[in-house]
Amino acid sequence: MRVVDIPGHVPDVTDRISNDAVRQVLEDLRLDYLVTVPESLYEVLLKDVIQKSSMKIVQVCRESQGISICSGLTYGGKKAAILCSFKGLYNSIDSILGVALHCQVSFLMLLSEASAMGKNAADNPERGCHTASLLKALDIPYFEVSSDKELFRIKEAAAQTENNTQPVAVILRW
Amino acid sequence: MTMKRTDCLKILAKNRTDQLVLTAWQSTDIWEQLSPSKYNFPSVRTMGECSTFALGLSLARPDKRIVVLEGDGSLCMNLGSLLTIATAAPTNFYQFILYNKMYETTGGQTLPNVDHLDLVMIARGAGISNVHRFGDLVAFDREIPRLLKEQGPVFVVLDVEPDASHVSGKQFGKVRSRDTFYNKQFKEVLME
């Protein structure tokens, strides 16, 4: 994945969850692959991963591909996670059902969602309001992270992917 | 020119060695009859995602060669996958598209704009350079041994006649009901 510097571009960061802390957690998990469609709330995280991490990034055009690729990677014995927005979850339902759940594979789904309060909510008050409901409907267990203090939940989610037959999600509320 | 799907797959089966072969939908039943093997995986149940599952597998297992057999309808559900495959550029990845220009299992509806559809151009435009098309069995039989040894990703379009004679609910059901068996068998194969 390449990143082009855009003059005048200001990253969409929040002070709720630190990108550096998330990157460190992902490295502690010794992920082999991070599969992603870039999104504004984690653009800084992706740049950090590219520059500082040994994780391989697989960039996809659509998150449904990412679910299938994570499934194949996991089937082949690699540790993979998908990092995408809640919209990516929405467009991945068929792949989750027909690939991940059908093939009984487990990997981390890191779902970016704006927090319910503050600037991001004002920009788009509907942002992510269906994420938890959809995960429940798919019977996919999930954890929620709204601050750096809660990042340990990513590790708990990762632990649940061991010897499991379905993905485990973490909703990152930046 | 077009070929009979079964004849194409017979040629592929004849040249198959140790490749992992992932099939989607209409090719599954025939392939299981022509080339039964513990290295087959027929269980991806989302149209368009067999190739991306296979991509993940090819990245995870560079020691294996991965072959995908899918229809044109499946590919068109996920054309962006060609960009993703081209970007990842797995050298052990071989994708065969059975191009009959229609959704055969649902009654023969043609693909949108099928008279102008050029999958070779789309694959090349996505960045896949090793692209081939065959409408002639002799040429396919001649070239396939070489193609299966080339550095991937390799993308092959096979012009085939529509043929619903092999498709029956019972036959489809027979393979699909064994998904648990295939899941277990394939996972064991990957641990070899």
Side-chain angles (χ1 to χ4, degrees), chain B residues 102-114:
Chain B
M102 65 177 60
Y103 300 107
E104 199 173 89
T105 48
T106 57
Q109 300 84 12
T110 57
L111 296 179
N113 204 29
V114 73

Side-chain angles (χ1 to χ4, degrees), chain A residues 33 58-61 64-65 68-69 71-73 75-76 78 94-95 98-99 102-104, chain B residues 41 43 45-46 49 52-53 56-57 59-61 78 80-81 83-84 179 183 186-187 190:
Chain A
Y33 287 90
V58 179
Q59 185 178 4
V60 294
C61 301
S64 54
Q65 298 168 13
S68 303
I69 291 170
S71 300
L73 283 165
Y75 232 76
K78 294 296 183 187
D94 198 13
S95 289
V99 184
H102 191 79
C103 298
Q104 299 181 341
Chain B
F41 191 68
S43 295
R45 288 281 164 253
T46 297
E49 296 291 349
T52 38
F53 179 88
L57 202 53
L59 293 172
R61 295 300 301 268
N78 196 6
S81 63
L83 283 171
T84 299
D179 278 344
N183 268 334
F186 204 62
K187 281 177 181 171
L190 291 171

Side-chain angles (χ1 to χ4, degrees), chain B residues 64-117:
Chain B
K64 300 282 188 192
R65 282 179 299 164
I66 314 294
V67 169
V68 179
L69 302 179
E70 65 176 333
D72 43 10
S74 277
L75 176 64
C76 288
M77 285 254 175
N78 196 6
L79 281 176
S81 63
L82 295 175
L83 283 171
T84 299
I85 290 164
T87 303
T91 56
N92 56 340
F93 186 90
Y94 305 82
Q95 187 175 8
F96 291 82
I97 304 299
L98 297 161
Y99 183 47
N100 62 1
K101 301 186 179 181
M102 65 177 60
Y103 300 107
E104 199 173 89
T105 48
T106 57
Q109 300 84 12
T110 57
L111 296 179
N113 204 29
V114 73
D115 294 332
H116 302 281
L117 178 59

Side-chain angles (χ1 to χ4, degrees), chain B residues 45-189:
Chain B
R45 288 281 164 253
T46 297
M47 275 183 84
E49 296 291 349
C50 188
S51 59
T52 38
F53 179 88
L55 172 60
L57 202 53
S58 67
L59 293 172
R61 295 300 301 268
D63 58 316
K64 300 282 188 192
R65 282 179 299 164
I66 314 294
V67 169
V68 179
L69 302 179
E70 65 176 333
D72 43 10
S74 277
L75 176 64
C76 288
M77 285 254 175
N78 196 6
L79 281 176
S81 63
L82 295 175
L83 283 171
T84 299
I85 290 164
T87 303
T91 56
N92 56 340
F93 186 90
Y94 305 82
Q95 187 175 8
F96 291 82
I97 304 299
L98 297 161
Y99 183 47
N100 62 1
K101 301 186 179 181
M102 65 177 60
Y103 300 107
E104 199 173 89
T105 48
T106 57
Q109 300 84 12
T110 57
L111 296 179
N113 204 29
V114 73
D115 294 332
H116 302 281
L117 178 59
D118 188 335
L119 294 176
V120 167
M121 187 184 289
I122 290 172
R124 287 207 176 112
I128 298 174
S129 54
N130 205 339
V131 179
H132 307 270
R133 183 174 184 173
F134 296 98
D136 173 66
L137 279 175
V138 170
F140 184 49
D141 194 21
R142 184 180 63 237
E143 298 295 323
I144 190 65
R146 175 183 61 82
L147 281 180
L148 288 175
K149 290 180 184 145
E150 285 192 352
Q151 179 163 297
V154 173
F155 183 86
V156 179
V157 177
L158 299 171
D159 288 287
V160 297
E161 298 168 6
D163 176 16
S165 60
H166 67 286
V167 174
S168 73
K170 282 185 189 171
Q171 285 175 320
F172 244 133
K174 209 171 166 185
V175 173
R176 288 170 70 171
S177 67
R178 298 180 68 199
D179 278 344
T180 305
F181 164 77
Y182 282 113
N183 268 334
K184 181 171 179 293
Q185 175 178 263
F186 204 62
K187 281 177 181 171
E188 286 169 0
V189 154

Side-chain angles (χ1 to χ4, degrees), chain A residues 103-151:
Chain A
C103 298
Q104 299 181 341
V105 284
S106 188
F107 50 87
L108 269 183
M109 291 170 50
L110 303 168
L111 306 173
S112 171
E113 189 180 271
S115 65
M117 305 287 288
K119 171 180 170 288
N120 291 321
D123 288 343
N124 185 348
E126 288 185 30
R127 218 164 177 175
C129 64
H130 304 294
T131 309
S133 308
L134 284 168
L135 290 169
K136 281 179 194 163
L138 294 166
D139 271 334
I140 288 182
Y142 66 91
F143 294 77
E144 295 173 270
V145 171
S146 300
S147 70
D148 282 359
K149 287 182 192 168
E150 295 174 350
L151 283 173

